[in-house]
Amino acid sequence: MSYFISSVAHSVAKKGSNSIVRCSKPSINKTHMRWLNLQEYQSKSLMEKHGVNIQRFKTADNPTDARQIGKHLLDTITSELVVKAQILAGGRGKGTFSSGLQGGVKLTKHIDEVESLVSKMIGYKLVTKQTPSDGVLVQRVMICESLNIVRETYLAILMDRDFGGPVIVGSPCGGVNIEEVAAQQPDKIFKVAVDITQGLNKSDSLQLARDLEFPELLIEEASDQIHRLYKLFLAVDATQVEVNPFGETDTGRVIAFDAKMNFDDNAEFRQKEVFAMDDKLEIDDREREAQEYNLNYIGMDGNIACLVNGAGLAMATMDIIKLHGGEPANFLDLVVMSKKGRFYKHLNYSHPTQR
């Protein structure tokens, strides 16, 4: 489903235009295939390497390790912990586990509770508004220091097709569904279109920090963090870097409290370290094998197989099937092929049981 991951931020970029900085449109044409998606803890690791302020954290894949990590953090740097389930979906805080636990983001000051919470997260499926109806299996949790957030903003950097380059989208209304903000308060959405050949201007990042309503004492730091996020965006060939919330703490720091990053698969040849972070744990088994053959494949729940030459025609074919009451079993773009073995795989993956 990686074709559709970035739809929220991209749709917001089309709405609300209270403050738009326009540059001459670069003559750049790019065709994207799939987008790599990393877990929050992996995205935050990349941010930390590029000087972006984040909460200190470690991850665990079992309750015992989670307890040890939590104890170390409580003994050394914090009086409260945040326990966050790691899946490739938003809305975790309001999600429900198959264990019965409510919420995939928990606060606690007690080490015994860390182990108890994690035992009800790892090995169970978490259902949110962005997961399949049966949820996604949680296999890792993130244990991090709790910081007091006094104000939440929203910040995203994405490649915009209409502009032909990066666009930074921000709002002083963070920590909530940004699409709702764009629909209900379009004057609270601010955008900066960046000429990729010139880079982000200091004056633009300062103005965006003010648009996000940071106090004057934090304008410089907020501007610096926006610059660091933009440099990260370019350095790793990202298609999207989304931080929600991009927050202000009670100690006067600007922190990226959440992180979602997508990457252009066409850049894999020069981003081998980044792509090696993809554990593929949440990818459907058919999709995982299809990627080995470089097939543009997404499995679905229907029973009508689709084998189409061209992504646009494939989407149209799926629309026609739905229009006439059918359900497509897959999205499969034939793309350019030169080997009969690969063509056989296309036929096999168009649907393994339906012919």
Side-chain angles (χ1 to χ4, degrees):
M1 284 187 276
S2 50
Y3 285 95
F4 311 109
I5 283 290
S6 299
S7 60
V8 172
H10 277 271
S11 65
V12 169
K14 311 298 180 196
K15 303 174 184 177
S17 55
N18 189 48
S19 176
I20 303 178
V21 180
R22 295 196 178 278
C23 307
S24 57
K25 185 174 181 179
S27 56
I28 299 174
N29 253 329
K30 292 191 177 181
T31 301
H32 86 280
M33 296 166 58
R34 290 181 289 264
W35 285 337
L36 164 69
N37 306 293
L38 296 181
Q39 300 282 1
E40 177 192 0
Y41 75 92
Q42 296 169 317
S43 296
K44 283 191 171 179
S45 294
L46 289 175
M47 288 182 173
E48 187 175 26
K49 287 181 181 179
H50 287 79
V52 177
N53 295 335
I54 63 167
Q55 296 158 284
R56 288 167 289 186
F57 73 90
K58 289 188 177 181
T59 66
D61 59 7
N62 63 78
T64 301
D65 287 352
R67 180 189 179 91
Q68 293 176 353
I69 292 169
K71 184 177 186 308
H72 174 72
L73 293 176
L74 287 172
D75 288 344
T76 56
I77 63 173
T78 187
S79 61
E80 187 174 41
L81 300 170
V82 185
V83 181
K84 305 179 79 172
Q86 296 296 287
I87 61 171
L88 295 174
R92 291 170 293 170
K94 296 182 179 180
T96 302
F97 285 91
S98 55
S99 65
L101 180 67
Q102 298 293 315
V105 179
K106 294 292 189 179
L107 291 170
T108 181
K109 296 181 179 180
H110 307 291
I111 191 60
D112 290 337
E113 193 174 5
V114 171
E115 190 169 6
S116 174
L117 287 170
V118 173
S119 68
K120 297 174 184 176
M121 292 182 176
I122 291 179
Y124 294 95
K125 289 190 173 183
L126 176 59
V127 179
T128 78
K129 290 183 178 180
Q130 294 185 17
T131 66
S133 58
D134 61 343
V136 173
L137 183 67
V138 175
Q139 303 183 59
R140 184 170 292 273
V141 296
M142 180 175 169
I143 315 294
C144 56
E145 63 175 327
S146 174
L147 299 175
N148 291 325
I149 307 174
V150 296
R151 206 173 58 83
E152 299 178 327
T153 75
Y154 173 91
L155 187 77
I157 307 171
L158 54 102
M159 279 294 183
D160 184 77
R161 288 185 175 184
D162 290 343
F163 175 68
V167 172
I168 305 176
V169 181
S171 174
C173 304
V176 296
N177 187 331
I178 196 62
E179 277 197 314
E180 293 180 5
V181 177
Q184 300 171 12
Q185 297 177 281
D187 60 316
K188 293 295 186 180
I189 301 293
F190 299 88
K191 294 179 283 184
V192 178
V194 183
D195 186 333
I196 199 168
T197 63
Q198 297 180 11
L200 177 61
N201 296 324
K202 179 72 171 180
S203 60
D204 291 341
S205 62
L206 287 170
Q207 182 56 52
L208 183 56
R210 293 187 177 93
D211 290 336
L212 296 182
E213 299 178 8
F214 282 100
E216 197 61 35
L217 288 175
L218 289 181
I219 292 295
E220 191 67 36
E221 183 180 356
S223 170
D224 176 69
Q225 288 296 300
I226 292 170
H227 267 273
R228 290 177 185 272
L229 285 164
Y230 179 74
K231 289 178 181 178
L232 165 64
F233 176 84
L234 294 182
V236 297
D237 289 297
T239 54
Q240 174 179 296
V241 174
E242 184 180 36
V243 181
N244 187 22
F246 183 55
E248 171 189 343
T249 72
D250 60 350
T251 57
R253 298 181 65 202
V254 178
I255 303 286
F257 281 96
D258 204 349
K260 181 186 294 183
M261 296 180 64
N262 307 140
F263 305 83
D264 189 344
D265 281 7
N266 292 307
E268 183 175 1
F269 73 97
R270 65 184 182 194
Q271 298 291 347
K272 295 188 182 299
E273 183 180 349
V274 172
F275 278 77
M277 298 170 73
D278 184 10
D279 56 22
K280 297 182 171 64
L281 291 177
E282 292 185 31
I283 300 178
D284 180 276
D285 288 340
R286 296 169 296 174
E287 293 182 31
R288 184 183 298 112
E289 187 174 354
Q291 286 187 8
E292 296 177 6
Y293 292 89
N294 198 30
L295 307 183
N296 294 335
Y297 171 86
I298 300 174
M300 303 179 76
D301 296 329
N303 59 1
I304 300 177
C306 299
L307 177 63
V308 188
N309 187 11
L313 185 58
M315 296 291 283
T317 301
M318 293 165 64
D319 286 342
I320 291 172
I321 290 173
K322 293 284 289 185
L323 180 65
H324 290 277
E327 293 293 337
N330 63 278
F331 169 96
L332 179 54
D333 173 16
L334 196 62
V335 299
V336 178
M337 297 181 304
S338 59
K339 297 181 180 179
K340 63 181 181 181
R342 190 174 174 193
F343 182 72
Y344 169 77
K345 284 294 179 181
H346 274 87
L347 290 174
N348 188 47
Y349 273 96
S350 63
H351 203 283
T353 58
Q354 301 292 328
R355 292 288 184 265

